[in-house]
Amino acid sequence: MRYISARQMIFDAYHEQRGSVMAYAQEIARMGAQVQTTQRNNNDWRIVNGLEAGAVISAVENQPAHLAALARYCFGPFTRDELGEDREWIHTALMHVGMQMRLPGQGQAERPPAEAARQLRWIVSAAIHHHAETTYPYNRPGLHNPRRIAVWIEQEHGAVVDVRRWAASGRTCWKGVWEKLLDTLDRWECNALAPVADLIPKAA
């Protein structure tokens, strides 16, 4: 593997694992004690790559579940269907964050109204999609305004959300909630990438 960035390492490691996990297991079992010599002499790049990919995957998966899920969701070589469970982990964790905020219409009540909680569910889903789309190296447009957020939610989930009062001076508004959700995802991404980045100086 070429150690260029933590993001690239995650993609390459899981790609390596997907393509040949059984082949690596059989080859490593067959070669047994030759692994150290293989690493030292680089005579068999497949074994070396397999061991390096394993170290990266271990660095990802030994983290809290929502951080490991975010790393795979944003940077892994997986299809939409394969990412369903990871998306649920991230969504559940981010909903917990969102429910600690004061939501529009909540006022001084201890809990937000049911409609606000329902809308938060879809906005959290949109925030996860937006983060994955706009994060480096993809840099896609994402959902950069309330109208696009509402359209995406309706297309993706068949739900209608009210974004007419997205921003309101002096009041709790969805814009503030959205920004806090994205800040949380940015922080989680940094946390998820840190142990993988620590492997870069250790590369042979």
Side-chain angles (χ1 to χ4, degrees):
M1 287 176 61
R2 295 179 60 201
Y3 284 68
I4 299 172
S5 72
R7 296 172 177 88
Q8 164 264 329
M9 289 160 66
I10 292 169
F11 181 93
D12 288 353
Y14 281 98
H15 183 72
E16 194 87 19
Q17 181 196 54
R18 291 181 76 194
S20 52
V21 62
M22 291 303 296
Y24 283 130
Q26 293 168 358
E27 189 74 0
I28 289 172
R30 180 181 66 78
M31 296 190 74
Q34 297 181 33
V35 168
Q36 288 184 344
T37 302
T38 298
Q39 286 179 295
R40 197 163 48 244
N41 297 333
N42 198 24
N43 289 331
D44 192 329
W45 60 267
R46 294 172 300 168
I47 299 298
V48 174
N49 277 7
L51 295 171
E52 290 177 344
V56 172
I57 291 170
S58 178
V60 170
E61 298 191 357
N62 284 333
Q63 300 184 61
H66 67 290
L67 297 184
L70 185 65
R72 291 188 297 264
Y73 187 82
C74 289
F75 309 115
F78 303 110
T79 66
R80 179 187 174 92
D81 290 340
E82 290 173 310
L83 290 169
E85 186 176 345
D86 286 334
R87 192 163 46 244
E88 283 299 314
W89 272 110
I90 305 165
H91 192 276
T92 299
L94 200 57
M95 274 295 292
H96 179 74
V97 171
M99 290 297 287
Q100 309 308 307
M101 305 177 195
R102 300 205 75 76
L103 302 182
Q106 183 172 350
Q108 298 304 312
E110 183 177 344
R111 294 178 177 274
E115 178 58 25
R118 184 193 73 85
Q119 185 153 331
L120 175 66
R121 174 179 178 81
W122 306 127
I123 288 176
V124 162
S125 183
I128 295 167
H129 171 79
H130 173 82
H131 179 84
E133 287 288 291
T134 59
T135 193
Y136 181 85
Y138 304 108
N139 296 327
R140 300 182 183 115
L143 308 174
H144 54 75
N145 62 50
R147 187 187 64 80
R148 291 182 68 89
I149 293 169
V151 168
W152 182 86
I153 290 171
E154 186 168 8
Q155 291 175 342
E156 190 71 14
H157 300 290
V160 176
V161 297
D162 182 6
V163 295
R164 289 174 297 177
R165 295 184 177 179
W166 186 257
S169 178
R171 298 175 55 185
T172 302
C173 61
W174 286 114
K175 179 182 178 183
V177 173
W178 175 260
E179 290 173 348
K180 289 179 183 177
L181 293 175
L182 295 185
D183 286 345
T184 298
L185 288 168
D186 283 341
R187 186 174 69 253
W188 287 355
E189 181 185 316
C190 290
N191 292 341
L193 291 174
V196 180
D198 286 344
L199 296 175
I200 295 177
K202 302 175 184 177

